[in-house]
Amino acid sequence: VQLQASGGGLVQAGGSLRLSCAASGRSFSNYGVGWFRQAPGKEREFVSVIRWATGMTDYTDSVKGRFTISRDRAKNTVYLQMNSLKPEDTAVYYCAARSSWRVGGMRSSYDYDYWGQGTQVTVSS
């Protein structure tokens, strides 16, 4: 499966952006689809994941209440709605997918088989 991430940009603190992760090649089916981010000089970190089949979600604590992950079955696309953005949210955001849901959790980048290209999110203060 090929993943195409889009929707990044420059926004002021407190603003919103919606990232999209579109899949081609096959449908997400029973996949887990997640978002990670990497700021300059920092390691890639987990942001959120959704289980395609059930809609179950997980978020890292720093984005809970501000970010919402969702899916559109018809478009085979996963979204990350980001509200109340902060300067510390600035990073390159990556979407990733695993062809089967890992019961033990999917917060590690090693849990994923497929990666899209990154999309830059910059939040100015």
Side-chain angles (χ1 to χ4, degrees):
V1 63
Q2 292 79 45
L3 304 178
Q4 180 71 37
S6 61
L10 173 63
V11 65
Q12 289 188 333
S16 298
L17 284 173
R18 189 178 77 160
L19 305 184
S20 300
C21 178
S24 61
R26 62 182 300 171
S27 65
F28 277 134
S29 185
N30 195 38
Y31 280 49
V33 182
W35 287 96
F36 287 74
R37 64 187 180 187
Q38 187 166 19
K42 295 187 177 182
E43 293 187 353
R44 190 171 297 187
E45 67 170 347
F46 168 79
V47 176
S48 182
V49 64
I50 187 166
R51 185 174 183 177
W52 186 264
T54 64
M56 183 176 69
T57 60
D58 187 25
Y59 299 91
T60 192
D61 286 347
S62 63
V63 307
K64 285 181 180 177
R66 300 189 298 123
F67 291 10
T68 302
I69 192 169
S70 62
R71 69 197 189 303
D72 185 323
R73 293 180 182 274
K75 296 182 178 180
N76 211 35
T77 299
V78 170
Y79 301 101
L80 185 68
Q81 178 67 43
M82 305 186 296
N83 298 329
S84 302
L85 282 161
K86 305 175 181 180
E88 51 264 42
D89 295 317
T90 295
V92 177
Y93 284 68
Y94 298 89
C95 66
R98 176 186 167 100
S99 56
S100 61
W101 183 258
R102 183 176 177 276
V103 175
M106 292 186 59
R107 290 190 167 208
S108 170
S109 60
Y110 295 104
D111 295 327
Y112 294 81
D113 304 313
Y114 307 98
W115 290 85
Q117 89 294 354
T119 185
Q120 176 70 47
V121 171
T122 304
V123 184
S124 62
S125 57

